[in-house]
Amino acid sequence: MSRPEPILDIRDLTAGYNAIPVVQGISLAVGRGEAVALLGANGAGKSTVLRAVSGLIRPKGGEVLLNGENVAGTGAEALVRKGLSHVAEGRRIFRKLSVEDNLDLGLASVSLSRAEVQRRLEEQYSLFPILKQKASDAAGSLSGGQQQMLAISQALIRKPDVVMLDEPSTGLAPILIEEVFTKLDQIREQGVSILLVEQVVERSLEFVDYAYLIQGGRLIAQGSPAELQKSNAVKQAYMGEVSIR
Amino acid sequence: MSGSANQAVGRAGARFTPETVLCAILAVGAVAVAFVNGHYLTLFTFAAVYLIGAMGLNVLTGYMGIISIAHGALVCVGAYATAIATVNYGWNFWPAAGLSTLVGLGFSVLLGLPALRLSSWYFVLITIAFTLVVPAMLVEWRDFTGGYAGVIGIPSPSIGPLQGQTGFFVILVAVAALLWWIIANLVNSRIGWALHALRDGNIGAQANGISSARMRLFAFAFSGACAGLAGAFYAAAKIVVTPEEFSFEFSILFLFIVVLGGPGRLAGPLFGVLAFYVLPELLTALREYRMIVFGFGLLAFSVFLPAGLAGGVDQVGRRRSRKAMVGAPTGRLKHEAEPVEGASLTIANLRKQFGGLKALDDVTLNVEPGSIHVIVGPNGSGKTTLLNVVSGFYPANGGTIKLDGAELLGMAPEQIAKLGVQRTFQTPKLLGDLSVLENTCFGAYTREKASGFEIALSLLRAVREKREITREAHQLLSLVGLDGMAHLPAAELTHGQQRLAEIARALMARPRLILLDEPAAGLSMGELDRLGDLLKEIRRLGMTLVMVEHHIELVANVADHVTVLDQGRILAAGTSEEVFNDEAVINAYMGGAK
Amino acid sequence: MLLEDFLALMVNGVTLGAVYAMAGIGLNIAYKPTNVFNLAQGEFVMLGAMLGWLFLTDMSMAWIVGTIGVVLAVGALGVLEERVAVAPHLKVQSHHHGWLISTLAFSIIIINIADQVFRADPRFVPSLPGTSLDTMFVGPVAFNTHQVAVLVIVVASVFAIEYVYRRTRIGKAISAVSEDRDGARLNGINPLHLTMISFAAGAAYCAFAGIIAAPLMLASTSLGLALLVKGFMAIALGGVGSNWGTLLAGIIIGCVESLSSITLSTGYRQLLLLGILLVVLLIRPNGLFGKAAGRSV
């Protein structure tokens, strides 16, 4: 099965903090309309990859091609305008602002007519009805699942080409995790490409078209979910060498 | 090997860096010139007074990182205390100087009180306000202070044969040298390290049992005392004191001297006084624009050379020739360490909520004394939150946490540390520019017995204790396999090595309970094996160990008991075999989410 | 004390306090996206007053033209300060308050250059157009129309500022930056722009405060430090970041100062205010009206 032409193409990315590289020579691609997972144990460097790609930190080497343009080293605030959204780890919403203000700030990078802003808000409210109920509440008062929905909605409202999600299921109950994935399905149907970093490996593999596995800051395996599930690599990367049973 | 290292530490205050060499040359030169020429004698007399004041401010601003504008105003208060006591009440100089020291200390502490709780920028503005009030009050209290006319005829100090202006200068040099020695003793001890840790906003400081309020109080008191003493000498050197001399510029000069000279460096104030007091006095033409030039200098230094002149000299002269030797891990303590009686930890119905988010939901668990208890669970399941609540970094919303039956909830982290609870962090919180050995010794903070006074004067008990602690630190470093790197700055270690060094630091406190947050993350294969042995060694010593860990192999290898957290609740508990064969656990962990 | 005297002192105190509050609000504006407490803020008030004298009195410009000129000039200086003294410190994540030193340095440079240029004499700046400094009476209350205008302007400006923070996108973006810089960046908000805008706005606001305050207190180069301290007291008592709290606290400080002038001379008044500040900060660290927020570690 061939993959679609890449919309986000990361080549030989090296990144880290201060002098110490956390990820070294990672290459991965997200095809147009594809959902791709980046998996790996804690501390493997997944979040660092996302932070370097989205421009929160400056990559130390390699290329990041977004729609064919090398954007490595471009700041996060500028990359948002080019159609790349990054939903960071840990529900990074503005807790003191209201839900609606949070969504409004999701549009900070685009200038739209008042009517269009309203239309987009309604669009998000129909995708996440709970947010409409809570529109004027402070975002910090929402429950964990609702905060996660808000964070995703804030990224979607500006209609990005690619969304990178960093552990959206973190700390959520299974039923809520299922809800997150249902939403992600709907988002994919709208044609948004997705790069997903996740801990819930099996559920993620069910969802994505393709997956990469990193360990110790390096790529150790990639393939379709079926291929990865067959190999023992995933289990090893997450659980260590020990056999459980 | 450890013998020679001990000596190295013993000499730590007197290492021959380019900074200290240049300093010695400059100081000797200044003294020599002062003896030859009367004009220079006066100049360097005042330079020595400024140096004494600035060394005090260096403790507060340089080592502790709290900026004060009022140092000159405190010198002023000290000067008036001596002036009034000697001239109006006929005191001898020395008791008057003692009074000045106390007055400076008192005012400094008074101004600092709000800053014990608040961010230190409040202190800056309080000190500005104080600096504006002092000269105004000197004029108001004219019956006492002589108003604009000031106080006239302040006597100079003398000791035995040290008489007259030269004698005064010799006394000043001796006092400055003594103060230098005291500060050197302090900064190379747990007190200096604690100041350093607090200045860097190091969360590890609290986990190590340091009370930020106490250290701040100490810094305010010490710097205020130095200011008061400097004031006494200033008054004597001036013979006449009037309110006009103590302008805003006078006050801020001390800050210039410390910040530009090299904050948090022993030699900083000396460089500062020479460059920013002596030099401008010599170049009289510059004086009118001095403040403008200083302003630009301060701005440029704060951006480009925060380490000041002393730091600049040090950087230029330093040749980095250190080589790291990775010692073979012994996995055993060479000498039999005293066993520690581990404490039991009983957590019941613990709840912690962040806004609408339940991070810990009715957690109950029991940790047997002297056992290894591992907490596992997927990301965001509340493991680190649990450690943070137990060590006092987060308040809980309900429940109890008992250490050997004593309630920990509601206590500050430093209080909990003093009860014998040590912890490490996911991102190691070592002091990057201190050596690995110093960082390790720092772990003994809560159990060191020598008082600040004994440390300052390098009294026998302090020296002996330091030697003993250094010896133990070397042992612990060889236990974790880092002895070869003992003298490297901690920042030069890899993350994995830093994590091991942090464990060594925690062990230095001989804790009854030790909490480790993902010690295996980022370790190499070899280091992992060593970590396993190390954990078992900790258990053998009798300490209770609670650890959050992802690495299943390691957990299976060492854990006596495993608790699985998921979404803030306990999913399973038991031995590692029981837990890892539990279907629910495998699902939660591997993300079945069904 | 006669009722008339008391009321006259109160009017004076309220107006004076409104000016202190403006200095404090200027600090708040610059503080919000940066968490930087700009120690040069008082000097912007001073520059507003001195340039006001230069443009309006010395060069006899039309009030509105001269005022716009002053506000733009000082606003530009605010941007310059942000670039050279603040931005370099915001780039490095550290707990060292390097900006305390650099903004202090910036203020020292301004004071001393201003001293060289304007010398120490106090200067006269005309009152707001359409108002005068002549005393008039309504019943027992003595006041002048300039004072009334100052009060109206201060209250209106707080309304306007709060509107911007609550209702406009740029205001919300500033709140977002103050909460989570990286989070704001991921929404396409450039924190550096907002920092610059806030410094410019804070400086311009303070310059304007200087122009309208100068007729009441005479412009001199020593004004800056005193106003920095009073502005700080206003936000320390009113709660950092709370503009209404700052306004109220500023007015209280002004009234205390004004009323105490009956019995206390200048030095004692300053001492009294310092004492009040220390006591309040010890008892209520978050200010008189501040919520008990968790202390920062």
Side-chain angles (χ1 to χ4, degrees):
Chain A
M1 195 177 81
S2 72
R3 299 181 62 196
E5 151 223 10
I7 187 165
L8 178 66
D9 195 358
I10 299 159
R11 294 179 183 169
D12 205 18
L13 183 78
T14 298
Y17 306 92
N18 301 324
I20 306 152
V22 177
V23 297
Q24 287 182 326
I26 296 241
S27 296
L28 61 91
V30 180
R32 206 171 286 278
E34 234 184 358
V36 170
L38 177 60
L39 306 172
N42 248 27
K46 304 180 302 279
S47 295
T48 308
V49 171
L50 295 198
R51 289 172 63 81
V53 170
S54 71
L56 280 180
I57 57 173
R58 182 176 272 277
K60 296 195 191 305
E63 290 184 327
V64 176
L65 301 175
L66 180 65
N67 281 315
E69 180 194 356
N70 185 5
V71 295
T74 311
E77 54 281 343
L79 266 182
V80 171
R81 292 186 170 72
K82 294 178 187 285
L84 178 73
S85 281
H86 175 185
V87 181
E89 197 178 358
R91 309 177 192 90
R92 293 284 272 277
I93 47 164
F94 306 113
R95 307 170 62 86
K96 289 180 197 157
L97 296 178
S98 73
V99 168
E100 185 146 322
D101 284 347
N102 266 280
L103 291 176
D104 188 44
L105 282 179
L107 293 171
S109 57
V110 286
S111 53
L112 300 173
S113 70
R114 198 174 276 257
E116 176 63 15
V117 169
Q118 203 53 44
R119 211 187 58 72
R120 296 244 184 138
L121 276 175
E122 290 306 328
E123 203 176 279
Q124 293 304 316
Y125 286 152
S126 66
L127 187 59
F128 301 101
I130 184 70
L131 296 183
K132 181 159 195 169
Q133 286 173 33
K134 304 260 180 183
S136 50
D137 292 12
S141 71
L142 301 185
S143 73
Q146 291 162 353
Q147 290 184 11
Q148 190 60 60
M149 297 301 175
L150 177 59
I152 296 173
S153 180
Q154 192 183 40
L156 288 180
I157 196 168
R158 54 185 169 257
K159 299 200 177 296
D161 301 328
V162 186
V163 179
M164 304 193 297
L165 299 136
D166 198 346
E167 305 205 357
S169 76
T170 297
L172 299 185
I175 185 160
L176 290 174
I177 296 179
E178 203 40 57
E179 202 181 324
V180 168
F181 276 100
T182 315
K183 297 298 178 199
L184 293 183
D185 266 327
Q186 292 175 18
I187 294 161
R188 177 161 55 173
E189 278 157 26
Q190 294 174 4
V192 182
S193 314
I194 296 176
L195 177 58
L196 178 68
V197 161
E198 254 307 346
Q199 283 281 316
V200 288
V201 180
E202 288 178 12
R203 185 62 185 87
S204 302
L205 286 177
E206 276 172 33
F207 168 70
V208 296
D209 305 306
Y210 199 81
Y212 296 87
L213 188 61
I214 63 174
Q215 190 174 25
R218 289 172 199 278
L219 210 56
I220 56 164
Q222 57 175 300
S224 69
E227 287 163 8
L228 279 181
Q229 260 160 344
K230 254 183 271 163
S231 81
N232 213 21
V234 176
K235 197 166 263 182
Q236 270 185 24
Y238 273 81
M239 313 277 278
E241 303 285 341
V242 77
S243 61
I244 289 175
R245 282 163 209 261
Chain B
M1 146 134 208
S2 77
S4 66
N6 283 345
Q7 284 166 14
V9 168
R11 292 189 268 107
R15 250 173 274 151
F16 290 102
T17 62
E19 193 181 330
T20 45
V21 172
L22 184 58
C23 221
I25 293 170
L26 287 172
V28 170
V31 171
V33 170
F35 280 119
V36 173
N37 179 314
H39 171 67
Y40 290 136
L41 181 60
T42 311
L43 177 64
F44 282 110
T45 298
F46 279 102
V49 172
Y50 280 102
L51 179 61
I52 292 169
M55 281 198 281
L57 184 61
N58 193 27
V59 170
L60 182 64
T61 298
Y63 290 103
M64 179 86 220
I66 294 178
I67 292 160
S68 166
I69 312 284
H71 205 67
L74 293 173
V75 171
C76 165
V77 172
Y80 264 86
T82 290
I84 292 165
T86 52
V87 175
N88 295 9
Y89 295 95
W91 289 25
N92 190 297
F93 175 83
W94 290 109
L99 174 71
S100 288
T101 309
L102 286 178
V103 167
L105 184 152
F107 273 103
S108 183
V109 168
L110 185 67
L111 294 176
L113 283 180
L116 297 183
R117 282 207 283 176
L118 292 163
S119 168
S120 57
W121 62 255
Y122 280 85
F123 185 68
V124 177
L125 282 133
I126 291 169
T127 55
I128 293 179
F130 182 71
T131 306
L132 297 178
V133 166
V134 167
M137 288 313 293
L138 290 178
V139 178
E140 297 280 351
W141 277 340
R142 56 185 66 80
D143 297 341
F144 200 48
T145 62
Y148 287 113
V151 184
I152 303 168
I154 301 142
S156 285
S158 58
I159 302 173
L162 298 173
Q163 301 281 341
Q165 223 195 334
T166 321
F168 185 16
F169 180 64
V170 173
I171 290 173
L172 280 173
V173 171
V175 169
L178 182 69
L179 191 58
W180 185 299
W181 178 69
I182 286 174
I183 293 175
N185 285 337
L186 285 174
V187 299
N188 283 311
S189 74
R190 67 179 165 141
I191 292 174
W193 299 329
L195 292 175
H196 190 128
L198 291 170
R199 179 188 69 190
D200 292 353
N202 193 311
I203 312 175
Q206 282 178 293
N208 203 12
I210 296 161
S211 153
S212 138
R214 256 179 84 171
M215 292 314 296
R216 284 187 177 203
L217 208 54
F218 162 77
F220 288 131
F222 189 90
S223 75
C226 291
L229 182 64
F233 287 125
Y234 184 86
K238 271 268 168 178
I239 303 167
V240 181
V241 289
T242 61
E244 277 161 25
E245 312 163 31
F246 302 106
S247 61
F248 194 72
E249 286 180 23
F250 177 83
S251 210
I252 211 138
L253 182 63
F254 285 94
L255 191 66
F256 281 130
I257 289 172
V258 168
V259 172
L260 301 179
R265 289 169 173 277
L266 270 178
L270 181 68
F271 283 111
V273 166
L274 291 178
F276 303 103
Y277 173 71
V278 174
L279 207 59
E281 290 293 319
L282 295 175
L283 307 170
T284 41
L286 198 98
R287 233 181 280 176
E288 193 181 349
Y289 300 100
R290 183 166 83 173
M291 289 305 282
I292 297 180
V293 174
F294 277 9
F296 279 109
L298 196 61
L299 184 56
F301 271 52
S302 83
V303 174
F304 300 112
L305 192 59
L309 286 181
V313 170
D314 199 32
Q315 272 169 26
V316 170
R318 183 181 288 182
R319 293 278 169 273
R320 295 191 158 238
S321 59
R322 283 177 300 232
K323 250 189 215 149
M325 305 175 294
V326 183
T330 60
R332 276 285 155 116
L333 284 172
K334 279 183 206 154
H335 307 268
E336 206 50 38
E338 281 172 54
V340 176
E341 198 170 320
S344 70
L345 179 70
T346 316
I347 298 173
N349 308 104
L350 190 65
R351 284 184 295 112
K352 172 69 194 167
Q353 210 156 340
F354 296 103
L357 198 84
K358 285 180 181 166
L360 293 176
D361 193 3
D362 209 21
V363 169
T364 297
L365 61 88
N366 244 314
V367 182
E368 298 289 323
S371 70
I372 298 183
H373 194 118
V374 184
I375 296 161
V376 299
N379 261 17
S381 57
K383 305 181 300 286
T384 297
T385 305
L386 182 63
L387 290 196
N388 280 336
V389 173
V390 172
S391 53
F393 282 88
Y394 292 161
N397 295 92
T400 59
I401 302 175
K402 295 208 162 117
L403 184 77
D404 271 351
E407 180 64 61
L408 294 186
L409 271 191
M411 293 177 97
E414 63 268 19
Q415 293 171 307
I416 293 175
K418 280 184 193 142
L419 292 179
V421 179
Q422 282 284 319
R423 67 166 293 181
T424 66
F425 296 85
Q426 263 179 44
T427 333
K429 309 279 180 215
L430 297 173
L431 296 168
D433 41 357
L434 292 186
S435 74
V436 175
L437 181 65
E438 285 169 319
N439 269 291
T440 310
C441 291
F442 191 25
Y445 185 86
T446 48
R447 64 183 177 93
E448 273 182 70
K449 292 195 181 65
S451 64
F453 183 73
E454 289 166 291
I455 293 171
L457 299 180
S458 210
L459 299 184
L460 189 62
R461 181 154 82 147
V463 175
R464 210 185 273 157
E465 191 171 58
K466 178 157 194 169
R467 198 180 302 139
E468 177 57 25
I469 277 167
T470 310
R471 193 183 63 78
E472 281 180 41
H474 274 291
Q475 273 193 35
L476 286 173
L477 282 174
S478 68
L479 177 71
V480 302
L482 292 176
D483 203 31
M485 301 181 160
H487 295 284
L488 283 184
E492 292 183 14
L493 268 56
T494 66
H495 250 85
Q497 291 165 337
Q498 289 194 25
R499 204 168 273 122
L500 292 171
E502 206 178 37
I503 295 176
R505 173 169 96 173
L507 290 176
M508 260 322 271
R510 294 218 193 104
R512 297 194 294 151
L513 170 65
I514 179 164
L515 311 167
L516 305 179
D517 198 351
E518 299 204 16
L523 293 193
S524 69
M525 275 311 197
E527 287 168 332
L528 260 178
D529 290 344
R530 189 175 314 148
L531 180 66
D533 293 344
L534 177 60
L535 298 176
K536 288 178 188 161
E537 179 70 18
I538 293 172
R539 175 171 54 194
R540 201 182 62 82
L541 285 173
M543 295 168 193
T544 311
L545 196 155
V546 173
M547 113 180 147
V548 164
E549 187 45 65
H550 267 90
H551 203 281
I552 304 282
E553 189 180 354
L554 177 70
V555 174
N557 191 6
V558 301
D560 297 312
H561 201 91
V562 177
T563 298
V564 184
L565 273 186
D566 191 29
Q567 300 135 45
R569 287 200 209 119
I570 291 184
L571 190 67
T575 65
S576 51
E577 277 151 32
E578 288 162 18
V579 165
F580 291 131
N581 285 312
D582 185 317
E583 197 67 32
V585 172
I586 293 169
N587 274 339
Y589 220 71
M590 286 293 287
K594 279 164 200 159
Chain C
M1 183 170 57
L2 291 170
L3 180 67
E4 282 84 356
D5 292 344
F6 173 76
L7 289 173
L9 287 171
M10 282 298 283
V11 169
N12 230 330
V14 170
T15 338
L16 214 58
V19 174
Y20 298 162
M22 284 183 91
I25 291 166
L27 286 166
N28 274 340
I29 294 174
Y31 179 85
K32 185 139 186 169
T34 53
N35 288 350
V36 163
F37 198 88
N38 181 14
L39 294 178
Q41 205 71 35
E43 304 314 323
F44 292 147
V45 185
M46 180 273 285
L47 277 182
M50 298 312 283
L51 291 176
W53 166 79
L54 182 70
F55 287 9
L56 301 178
T57 307
D58 200 46
M59 294 164 68
S60 313
M61 284 188 199
W63 191 87
I64 189 73
V65 178
T67 300
I68 290 175
V70 171
V71 165
L72 287 181
V74 177
L77 198 61
V79 174
L80 178 70
E81 185 193 9
E82 195 276 335
R83 289 285 88 200
V84 302
V86 179
H89 290 290
L90 290 181
K91 261 187 231 151
V92 284
Q93 295 277 321
S94 94
H95 289 268
H96 296 218
H97 292 180
W99 49 266
L100 278 173
I101 296 284
S102 59
T103 60
L104 178 70
F106 202 81
S107 81
I108 290 169
I109 295 169
I110 296 179
I111 301 175
N112 287 283
I113 291 180
D115 265 341
Q116 299 288 334
V117 173
F118 297 107
R119 300 294 157 186
D121 316 320
R123 313 283 183 164
F124 172 76
V125 179
S127 61
L128 284 155
T131 69
S132 87
L133 297 172
D134 301 334
T135 308
M136 52 187 287
F137 287 90
V138 172
V141 189
F143 61 95
N144 62 51
T145 47
H146 180 82
Q147 286 176 321
V148 176
V150 167
L151 270 179
V152 170
I153 287 173
V154 174
V155 173
S157 72
V158 177
F159 267 113
I161 292 165
E162 289 298 319
Y163 178 84
V164 169
Y165 282 138
R166 281 169 209 283
R167 293 275 171 256
T168 68
R169 190 174 281 164
I170 192 166
K172 291 178 207 168
I174 289 173
S175 308
V177 169
S178 76
E179 212 180 304
D180 182 350
R181 241 177 140 74
D182 275 354
R185 292 182 65 201
L186 290 177
N187 281 293
I189 297 164
N190 189 338
L192 296 180
H193 289 170
L194 296 178
T195 317
M196 263 200 287
I197 289 170
S198 294
F199 261 76
Y205 185 79
C206 278
F208 185 65
I211 294 179
I212 64 173
L216 300 168
M217 44 180 40
L218 288 178
S220 84
T221 51
S222 60
L223 205 63
L225 265 183
L227 278 173
L228 174 71
V229 169
K230 297 287 164 57
F232 158 70
M233 286 181 180
I235 64 169
L237 301 187
V240 177
S242 157
N243 290 319
W244 287 115
T246 301
L247 179 56
L248 196 55
I251 287 174
I252 292 174
I253 294 168
C255 289
V256 168
E257 200 179 11
S258 180
L259 290 178
S260 63
S261 68
I262 306 167
T263 48
L264 299 181
S265 47
T266 331
Y268 281 104
R269 270 186 344 242
Q270 290 186 32
L271 189 64
L272 173 72
L273 285 178
L274 179 63
I276 292 175
L277 177 72
L278 287 175
V279 170
V280 171
L281 287 181
L282 278 174
I283 299 169
R284 291 192 61 93
N286 295 301
L288 288 174
F289 326 111
K291 280 170 280 182
R295 54 170 258 193
S296 61
V297 181

